[in-house]
Amino acid sequence: MVIADKKTRVDSEVTKKQEGSRLYQPFRALGYITSSIPHSIQYRGQAAFITAGIGRSFHIYDSEKINLLFVGPRFDADVVSVLSIGDETFVSSGGQVTVCQRAKRVGELESVSRGEISNLMQFGDYIIAISEDNAVVIWNRVTRELFTEIEFESESFRVTAVVHPSTYVNKIVIGSAQGSMQVWNIQTRRCLYEFKSFGSGIACLVQAPVIDVLALGLLDGRILLHNVKLDSPVMQLAQEGRVTALSFRTDDVPMMATSNAEGDVALWDLNNKRLLHVLQGAHDSTIPSIEFLAGQPLLLTSSADNSIKEWLFDGQDGVPRLLRHRSGHFAAPQMIRYHDDEGRCILSAGRDRSLRYFSVFRDAQNVELSQGSLAREARARKVKVNELRLPQISQFASNPAMTKDWDDVITCQQNCTNAHTWSSDRKALGKYTLMSSDKTVIKSVAISACGNFGFLGLTSGVIEMVNMQSGLSRRTFIGHTKVVTGIQTDGCNQQMYSTSLDGTLRIWDFATGKQLHCVELPSPPSRLMLHRESSLLACICDDACVRVVDSESQRVVRKFAGHRNRITDLAFSNDGRWIVTASLDSTIRTWDLPTGHMVDWFKVESVPVSVAFSPAGDFLATAHMDSVGIFLWANRTQFADVSLRQINPAVDLSGEAAMLTMPTTAGLSADDDNAEQPIESTADEQNGVYLAAEQLTDNMVTLSSLPKSKWQTLLNLATIKKRNKPEMAPKAPELAPFFLPTVLGTEPRFDLEAKTDKKDDADDKPVERSRISTASAVSGLVRALYRGQETMSYAAVFEYLKELNPSAIDLELRTLPVDDNLRAVKAFIQASTAHLRPKRDFELVQAYLQVFLNVFGDIIKANTEDLEPLLVELRKESKSQWSTIDGLIRYSACMVEFMRTSK
């Protein structure tokens, strides 16, 4: 049925909120490594552990392989500072310092009303921090009580850094944005000394390996080594850009490392007071903290570009090499797609001009696909690595069918006339750069189902087919007059589908390149998706609608409207039943294809730009405009019964979409307070709700909704019990007499053949079990049958049997009484006949009848005259329904055989 002319539904402004998403539950976030706050390192023996803040949580890594060990709880506000001491982690968030152990909340430091708390630092048994209102706050770490507060005037002394000079008891040095320093005694709360201004604001303070010497990083790029005891300068160095962090080597090598806001790391030879080397572009963003590991030639750097790197000094020239790193997108991903057929990995293209591979199960397998030796080339050309990367990817396609043989990913970049192939197996850029034949920009790409051919959609409207193995052009499809926005191919390489801004969807012959059909769309399509199993094409149109076209009939069969802004992406569910859409209105909606209704929607904090449904059907993956991670939402239908209903905001009172909490890197846990709870439908929600009918029409034979194992087990219950029966009954141990008998002879020996017990012959006789159990109490089935005879309604009988397990059903049928002129037997036959007439629960009734006839067959034969009318009616009803089912089965079998043998 064509529904393109149906009236577009627009959401109405309703204030009432729905409870939450029925289909999806926040599961976990991928791709988060670090943020713009300094990390903290804690040493346990020889091992070092790194604590890094991540949005509203924190991560704990080991330094040996940078493996993720723990993920902290989710806080109500962004994490501002972290500090690790022993088993405890102190986290500042929302003006409160929380204490965690093994990533679990265990307490809080005494609250202070001074805004955000930053720069957490340990000082013996004290915790020192800087507050937003320009005060130094000190807590007792053991009692977690506030120890003291030191306030300053912002106009004359704006606190920026605090450090404890080694061997200075109860003393701290405080640096300011005005460039001066003060020495304070925290016990007496007295300022002992104030240094003159250094001419620029102090960004960081670090204790040097030499007593009495502090290292100062200034905003103008100078690094000062100053003797605080004598108030005299020791050394002055300078770098490009403001100093964000600095650290000293502690393995007997006089070296200092400093970082700036541009992502560079400078290495200094302290003996010769000169610059040794500059790691230009070590990171793509500001470096808030760097630190040499204690006693090791390892430099650890973390950056706001969402990465942690370890640099090893193993050369004679003192220049380090990158030993290991862990990173994610440092700009939001723009397009995500599942790469394999099992839903284990995701490919993501981001605004950081990178293509990344994410594992859903193991974070250690996440990697950026290499674009070559960019770091070496950047050093040679003295430019940043990011300047040498390929332009931002606008669209990509992948197919793992030929992963081991040749490149299996193809990408097109913004405003580029060439496309690139990639290898997901080698995790690197592929062999070929594919140029457009008419030198126009490539806007869309695709890969065939077999993985042998790639397709390029050009702004001129031409589509080119290339061979992925050789990179040579094979065919050209000419017909579109404007930019090609989407390309898809069927599973058998018979047809190719394309959409264009000329407002058409065209179907091409794959082998010849000829146009077969052209479907005019009311609005220009911007993206095309295909579900190969159902041959349904979904087009995102510029009028904020999704139109579904049947490729067999070339007709629009569904139109989904309701988004208030442009639709950014869509995805088919693995079974092709749902279409999930994301829009600039910050909503993610799920549409049911068979009914044409919206069955779920929810709102998120950040605008979704891309969605992908797992091939296994277990997760929905989303990417958002201002988030560098990929978010996984668990599909509730995989582990719970979910009743779908139509959601129509224009007429229902369900209100606006519920705002769901974004998934965190911690994932779901049993004690997570933020985990979404299952949604129970209420009576109020049933108004205007579409519910699946028990029977679509009276002419259809309907099966029950129970698992087939329930009635199959009932039919094979005797076999199952026999199989599970032990081979030999357990025997009681033979009792030995107190005095064991002996055998006469020269040597005393016990008589082991003597028997001390005798078995009763009666015990050896098997007990024959009757097929009809004898029970004196009236069972629930009998009561239901008797009530049904009185009311002539037997629906309660089968509702009662549906609630029982197979063993209980077998017992109920065997315990039917045979007295009172076979009243219970007659009632069960009448109940079965009555339940077959409306053509419901066909397989259940047949299973119950088989057990019933096996048990009471002999009694029925002996009382044929009384039971014959009831049995004739039962046989007539059962035979009528079975003939219908048998005809359908034979028809389907003939069609399958015909399709299999036809050429």
Side-chain angles (χ1 to χ4, degrees):
M1 180 179 64
V2 179
I3 64 165
D5 297 330
K6 276 193 174 181
K7 183 178 179 181
T8 301
R9 299 172 181 172
V10 180
D11 297 350
S12 60
E13 293 293 337
V14 188
T15 58
K16 182 180 177 182
K17 300 263 185 180
Q18 72 174 36
E19 293 182 9
S21 173
R22 291 182 173 273
L23 294 181
Y24 308 107
Q25 182 166 335
F27 182 68
R28 65 171 300 207
L30 305 175
Y32 282 99
I33 309 298
T34 61
S35 64
S36 59
I37 68 172
H39 64 252
S40 175
I41 296 183
Q42 170 64 23
Y43 294 94
R44 307 303 299 269
Q46 296 296 325
F49 298 91
I50 310 161
T51 303
I54 301 293
R56 297 188 176 183
S57 183
F58 64 88
H59 287 180
I60 299 178
Y61 305 92
D62 67 337
S63 63
E64 184 177 359
K65 294 184 178 179
I66 319 183
N67 287 331
L68 181 61
L69 303 179
F70 298 102
V71 177
R74 181 183 176 87
F75 298 94
D76 296 332
D78 288 341
V79 175
V80 178
S81 181
V82 294
L83 174 65
S84 296
I85 305 173
D87 294 331
E88 295 180 330
T89 301
F90 297 85
V91 183
S92 173
S93 172
Q96 179 64 51
V97 179
T98 305
V99 185
C100 300
Q101 285 186 0
R102 297 182 68 86
K104 301 293 183 182
R105 301 176 194 246
V106 295
E108 293 179 347
L109 298 184
E110 184 177 342
S111 178
V112 292
S113 300
R114 292 188 173 276
E116 289 289 355
I117 305 296
S118 61
N119 295 72
L120 292 174
M121 184 192 75
Q122 181 186 10
F123 178 22
D125 289 336
Y126 300 100
I127 302 294
I128 303 177
I130 302 174
S131 66
E132 188 177 4
D133 62 353
N134 199 36
V136 175
V137 186
I138 305 173
W139 292 271
N140 187 303
R141 183 171 65 90
V142 179
T143 63
R144 299 177 184 172
E145 296 177 351
L146 182 64
F147 176 72
T148 188
E149 297 174 310
I150 305 174
E151 299 179 349
F152 299 88
E153 292 292 335
S154 300
E155 293 78 9
S156 59
F157 195 89
R158 182 68 186 178
V159 180
T160 57
V162 180
V163 68
H164 163 59
S166 298
T167 70
Y168 283 59
V169 180
N170 298 330
K171 310 296 189 304
I172 59 174
V173 177
I174 305 174
S176 69
Q178 288 76 14
S180 60
M181 291 193 308
Q182 294 180 2
V183 180
W184 282 76
N185 187 312
I186 64 172
Q187 291 289 346
T188 62
R189 296 183 70 247
R190 291 177 54 193
C191 179
L192 304 180
Y193 187 79
E194 183 170 1
F195 299 85
K196 293 181 180 180
S197 175
F198 295 99
S200 180
I202 298 175
C204 54
L205 287 171
V206 175
Q207 171 67 53
V210 180
I211 297 176
D212 300 329
V213 177
L214 295 181
L216 290 71
L218 305 183
L219 296 178
D220 61 1
R222 288 182 295 152
I223 303 103
L224 304 179
L225 298 184
H226 196 82
N227 189 310
V228 294
K229 184 176 182 179
L230 303 176
D231 189 8
S232 61
V234 176
M235 187 184 306
Q236 178 173 320
L237 306 169
Q239 69 171 23
E240 294 184 1
R242 66 182 179 91
V243 181
T244 58
L246 51 85
S247 179
F248 294 90
R249 285 186 67 171
T250 58
D251 59 340
D252 299 331
V253 177
M255 180 183 291
M256 178 180 65
T258 60
S259 61
N260 61 18
E262 285 73 35
D264 302 328
V265 176
L267 303 174
W268 306 88
D269 183 353
L270 298 180
N271 279 343
N272 300 315
K273 301 180 182 181
R274 66 181 182 89
L275 179 64
L276 183 64
H277 183 70
V278 177
L279 297 173
Q280 289 189 343
H283 288 274
D284 294 303
S285 185
T286 180
I287 303 176
S289 58
I290 61 175
E291 190 167 349
F292 282 98
L293 297 186
Q296 302 181 49
L298 286 175
L299 176 65
L300 182 72
T301 63
S302 64
S303 170
D305 67 355
N306 197 27
S307 67
I308 295 178
K309 297 183 179 181
E310 285 187 5
W311 308 84
L312 176 63
F313 293 82
D314 57 353
Q316 298 296 327
D317 55 357
V319 178
R321 62 180 177 88
L322 183 62
L323 178 63
R324 61 179 68 94
H325 73 284
R326 172 164 292 195
S327 61
H329 283 295
F330 65 87
Q334 291 296 100
M335 183 177 181
I336 59 173
R337 291 292 183 267
Y338 277 92
H339 177 58
D340 62 338
D341 296 331
E342 299 178 355
R344 294 179 176 272
C345 61
I346 297 175
L347 289 178
S348 170
R351 288 186 294 177
D352 57 1
R353 302 161 67 177
S354 68
L355 181 64
R356 290 186 172 272
Y357 174 100
F358 289 94
S359 172
V360 176
F361 304 108
R362 296 193 64 183
D363 290 339
Q365 295 179 354
N366 298 348
V367 66
E368 177 185 354
L369 272 66
S370 173
Q371 299 184 22
S373 302
L374 298 184
R376 184 185 309 150
E377 186 177 354
R379 288 196 298 268
R381 298 170 58 178
K382 296 183 179 180
V383 295
K384 291 188 176 181
V385 174
N386 199 40
E387 297 178 6
L388 300 179
R389 287 194 174 103
L390 295 175
Q392 179 180 330
I393 295 174
S394 57
Q395 195 176 120
F396 71 86
S398 68
N399 189 336
M402 294 296 178
T403 297
K404 300 296 183 181
D405 300 306
W406 51 75
D407 298 343
D408 57 349
V409 181
I410 184 171
T411 63
C412 61
Q413 286 74 30
Q414 289 183 350
N415 304 320
C416 287
T417 60
N418 51 30
H420 294 83
T421 61
W422 305 70
S423 172
S424 65
D425 185 42
R426 296 186 295 107
K427 305 294 188 301
L429 193 64
K431 296 181 179 180
Y432 305 111
T433 299
L434 310 174
M435 302 294 297
S436 60
S437 58
D438 55 4
K439 305 302 181 183
T440 57
V441 175
I442 301 174
K443 286 293 187 179
S444 57
V445 292
I447 295 182
S448 62
C450 61
N452 294 324
F453 301 100
F455 295 85
L456 311 178
L458 312 182
T459 54
S460 61
V462 176
I463 301 174
E464 295 184 8
M465 184 174 76
V466 297
N467 186 283
M468 293 295 292
Q469 183 180 9
S470 64
L472 301 177
S473 178
R474 286 289 179 253
R475 194 166 293 110
T476 302
F477 302 81
I478 301 176
H480 287 295
T481 59
K482 292 185 179 181
V483 177
V484 178
T485 57
I487 305 173
Q488 296 289 335
T489 63
D490 66 355
C492 300
N493 285 357
Q494 297 294 319
Q495 294 179 341
M496 188 268 287
Y497 315 97
S498 63
T499 55
S500 170
L501 291 183
D502 59 11
T504 62
L505 185 154
R506 299 175 189 257
I507 303 177
W508 311 80
D509 184 88
F510 193 98
T512 63
K514 296 181 179 180
Q515 179 179 310
L516 302 178
H517 305 282
C518 179
V519 180
E520 297 285 344
L521 299 175
S523 179
S526 59
R527 181 156 293 182
L528 177 66
M529 293 293 291
L530 168 69
H531 188 261
R532 288 194 171 103
E533 286 73 14
S534 61
S535 300
L536 293 178
L537 294 157
C539 306
I540 298 178
C541 298
D542 288 346
D543 57 356
C545 293
V546 174
R547 291 176 172 86
V548 181
V549 179
D550 181 12
S551 62
E552 297 293 335
S553 62
Q554 300 88 45
R555 303 174 68 185
V556 177
V557 295
R558 288 289 184 270
K559 175 185 175 183
F560 300 123
H563 281 292
R564 299 178 180 176
N565 207 330
R566 183 173 66 86
I567 300 175
T568 56
D569 200 7
L570 65 79
F572 278 97
S573 63
N574 61 317
D575 57 0
R577 183 180 179 87
W578 300 336
I579 287 181
V580 183
T581 58
S583 169
L584 292 180
D585 60 10
S586 295
T587 63
I588 297 175
R589 309 189 183 209
T590 302
W591 312 84
D592 188 62
L593 274 169
T595 62
H597 297 144
M598 181 173 69
V599 294
D600 187 79
W601 67 328
F602 62 92
K603 202 168 186 177
V604 289
E605 300 171 356
S606 178
V607 174
V609 295
S610 185
V611 293
F613 214 100
S614 169
D618 47 1
F619 296 115
L620 173 70
T622 62
H624 299 262
M625 186 170 291
D626 56 358
S627 301
V628 297
I630 297 175
F631 301 92
L632 299 181
W633 308 79
N635 182 3
R636 291 179 187 266
T637 60
Q638 296 284 312
F639 53 84
D641 293 330
V642 179
S643 59
L644 299 181
R645 63 182 183 89
Q646 177 187 359
I647 300 176
N648 185 2
V651 296
D652 292 347
L653 297 179
S654 56
E656 294 184 353
M659 178 71 73
L660 290 192
T661 303
M662 298 292 288
T664 64
T665 52
L668 291 178
S669 59
D671 56 349
D672 190 359
D673 296 335
N674 296 323
E676 299 293 333
Q677 298 298 325
I679 301 175
E680 302 293 340
S681 58
T682 61
D684 296 337
E685 293 177 341
Q686 303 302 326
N687 298 327
V689 171
Y690 173 79
L691 298 176
E694 293 184 4
Q695 193 173 23
L696 298 180
T697 175
D698 296 339
N699 298 325
M700 295 181 63
V701 178
T702 306
L703 304 181
S704 69
S705 59
L706 297 179
K708 66 178 184 179
S709 59
K710 197 162 187 177
W711 58 267
Q712 284 182 342
T713 303
L714 177 64
L715 297 178
N716 301 282
L717 191 61
T719 304
I720 295 173
K721 288 183 176 180
K722 184 178 180 181
R723 183 185 61 192
N724 296 338
K725 184 179 180 181
E727 297 180 358
M728 183 179 298
K731 292 183 178 180
E734 296 184 357
L735 299 177
F738 185 77
F739 295 101
L740 294 177
T742 58
V743 179
L744 296 177
T746 56
E747 296 181 359
R749 289 185 297 106
F750 295 110
D751 187 4
L752 301 178
E753 297 180 358
K755 296 183 179 180
T756 58
D757 59 342
K758 295 182 180 180
K759 294 183 178 179
D760 192 355
D761 294 339
D763 295 342
D764 296 334
K765 296 180 180 179
V767 179
E768 184 177 356
R769 182 176 179 269
S770 174
R771 290 182 300 172
I772 304 177
S773 299
T774 58
S776 58
V778 179
S779 64
L781 176 60
V782 175
R783 289 193 296 269
L785 289 171
Y786 289 169
R787 284 195 300 268
Q789 278 186 327
E790 297 173 358
T791 60
M792 298 304 297
S793 175
Y794 295 96
V797 174
F798 288 89
E799 292 298 327
Y800 173 75
L801 290 175
K802 286 181 182 180
E803 297 176 355
L804 303 179
N805 57 53
S807 297
I809 296 174
D810 182 77
L811 179 62
E812 288 280 2
L813 293 177
R814 291 183 181 275
T815 55
L816 288 177
V818 294
D819 55 357
D820 197 8
N821 196 22
L822 301 178
R823 181 186 175 185
V825 175
K826 294 178 180 179
F828 186 82
I829 298 175
Q830 292 172 344
S832 301
T833 306
H835 205 70
L836 284 173
R837 286 196 184 100
K839 300 180 180 181
R840 295 181 182 178
D841 302 334
F842 178 79
E843 86 282 16
L844 279 185
V845 177
Q846 296 299 326
Y848 297 158
L849 282 175
Q850 179 171 338
V851 177
F852 172 79
L853 294 176
N854 287 339
V855 175
F856 294 95
D858 296 340
I859 296 178
I860 292 175
K861 288 181 182 179
N863 298 271
T864 306
E865 296 181 0
D866 294 341
L867 301 176
E868 184 176 2
L870 300 177
L871 294 173
V872 170
E873 186 68 20
L874 175 62
R875 181 183 179 185
K876 177 183 176 182
E877 205 61 52
S878 181
K879 189 174 182 180
S880 173
Q881 296 186 21
W882 170 247
S883 61
T884 303
I885 296 178
D886 186 55
L888 292 174
I889 294 175
R890 292 176 183 274
Y891 175 79
S892 301
C894 290
M895 288 297 297
V896 171
E897 183 66 19
F898 172 75
M899 297 297 294
R900 189 180 65 84
T901 56
S902 62
K903 296 183 180 179

